[in-house]
Amino acid sequence: MTDQGMEDNIIQFVGVTGTSTRDARNFLEKYKRVDVAVDAFFNNPHEFNTPTRHQPAPAAPSTSKLTTLFNSYKDPDGDEITVDGTIKLCGDLEVDPEDVVLLAVAFELKSPGIGRWTKQGWTEGWKALRVDTIPAMKALLPQLRAKLSNDPAYFRKVYNYTFEFGRSEGQRSLGMDSAQAFWALLLPHGLTGSALSHIRAESSDGDVSMEDEEGWKSEYVQWWFDFLNEKGGKGVSKDTWVMFLDFLRSIDCKFSNHNIEEAWPSTIDDFVEYARKRLGN
């Protein structure tokens, strides 16, 4: 990598993680690629810190502090934090209740549903994230937001969890309105970073194509919604939800590399036909 290339990557790494240029260089020199280095940073931001006898290990998050916080938001007539407590929590965290980062928080805290948080999920989730105060939680949100935008594996975990989190109890599918609302939060966010970066097609001999192939465009999100609304239907199956993510990352911008013989859900096959006609117009 050229010196200029390294400097550009350091700027990008620092912009995503908020860490020092020294740490950025250490991670990039070890992991080479920005997306891999960012993932490594969020998994262990202290990897290159050298402990000394004058630097005691940070204290473990306090269960009692987290319990006190949980109780301050909990429904007084129940065992969970519900919608009213969630709104209060968002106010204290200074985050919009419709901010995509809350889907990452829902995944981390294993929220059982929209606006619901259990004591076990709350305590174990925040402890795993190593925070136990509102200021620390506020400071963590930009890191989760950046990780969701730049880490494909993390994006997939949050994306898949959102299906379970968002569907109504007892329903096998996710309601169409809810599905589009979640897609409208997740997809543009993933497209701003490398979480939804295009995966180039493999040639017949198994090699990855070296052509400068352009993938899914941001305006296609609205095309997808237009298609679903024209098609009708009350919900989105888990199969369609999960495989749509693979489709979005693998399809080229002209929808020319889609193979109808592969095991895609029929909804995706029908969308490709719709998109090709729309491109032709």
Side-chain angles (χ1 to χ4, degrees):
M1 182 184 299
T2 65
D3 290 343
Q4 184 58 51
M6 172 61 82
E7 293 304 317
D8 290 343
N9 286 347
I10 288 174
I11 291 171
Q12 183 180 351
F13 187 96
V14 171
V16 170
T17 63
T19 191
S20 67
T21 56
R22 178 181 178 182
D23 280 348
R25 184 177 296 277
N26 286 334
F27 276 95
L28 288 165
E29 286 178 346
K30 179 175 180 179
Y31 295 101
K32 310 304 181 186
R33 286 171 40 189
V34 176
D35 58 336
V36 177
V38 167
D39 188 23
F41 173 84
F42 283 121
N43 285 331
N44 182 14
H46 306 297
E47 178 175 352
F48 293 100
N49 287 4
T50 303
T52 71
R53 65 185 63 186
H54 303 296
Q55 294 177 324
S62 165
T63 300
S64 62
K65 285 184 180 180
L66 288 168
T67 299
T68 300
L69 268 180
F70 180 85
N71 290 336
S72 70
Y73 298 113
K74 183 178 72 71
D75 185 333
D77 299 319
D79 297 325
E80 297 181 347
I81 297 172
T82 55
V83 173
D84 289 343
T86 298
I87 292 174
K88 183 175 183 293
L89 172 65
C90 289
D92 292 343
L93 292 176
E94 298 180 358
V95 63
D96 190 309
E98 296 185 359
D99 191 315
V100 69
V101 74
L102 291 179
L103 295 179
V105 175
F107 164 72
E108 296 288 354
L109 272 58
K110 298 298 177 280
S111 167
I114 298 171
R116 293 175 55 202
W117 315 86
T118 66
K119 183 177 180 180
Q120 180 177 353
W122 172 275
T123 305
E124 293 179 357
W126 288 127
K127 287 182 75 172
L129 293 168
R130 304 197 63 79
V131 295
D132 58 12
T133 66
I134 289 296
M137 293 172 187
K138 286 171 63 176
L140 178 69
L141 294 185
Q143 297 179 36
L144 291 179
R145 190 181 289 108
K147 186 175 182 180
L148 186 61
S149 175
N150 289 281
D151 186 333
Y154 186 70
F155 184 95
R156 181 180 293 276
K157 290 177 182 178
V158 174
Y159 177 89
N160 288 343
Y161 188 80
T162 297
F163 182 88
E164 309 297 340
F165 159 84
R167 64 179 173 174
S168 300
E169 190 171 351
Q171 297 297 310
R172 297 181 64 184
S173 61
L174 181 61
M176 183 61 72
D177 289 344
S178 295
Q180 291 194 31
F182 288 130
W183 272 322
L185 286 174
L186 287 162
L187 301 184
H189 188 71
L191 288 166
T192 62
S194 56
L196 292 181
S197 57
H198 181 56
I199 300 174
R200 294 178 179 178
E202 290 187 355
S203 61
S204 58
D205 59 5
D207 292 332
V208 176
S209 171
M210 297 306 292
E211 296 179 7
D212 189 16
E213 181 182 83
E214 188 177 3
W216 179 277
K217 296 183 178 181
S218 58
E219 58 263 35
Y220 293 164
V221 175
Q222 186 58 52
W223 287 24
W224 174 238
F225 294 163
D226 292 343
F227 162 76
L228 292 174
N229 292 333
E230 289 181 21
K231 183 176 185 292
K234 295 182 179 180
V236 174
S237 69
K238 185 173 184 178
D239 190 40
T240 297
W241 177 269
V242 170
M243 293 194 71
F244 180 73
L245 186 60
D246 295 314
F247 167 75
L248 182 152
R249 294 198 65 196
S250 63
I251 197 68
D252 66 282
C253 67
K254 296 180 180 179
F255 298 88
S256 61
N257 65 346
H258 182 70
N259 185 354
I260 199 170
E261 299 301 325
E262 295 179 354
W264 295 105
S266 60
T267 299
I268 291 178
D269 289 334
D270 293 343
F271 172 66
V272 170
E273 183 178 351
Y274 165 91
R276 287 172 176 170
K277 290 179 179 177
R278 191 158 172 173
L279 280 173
N281 295 332

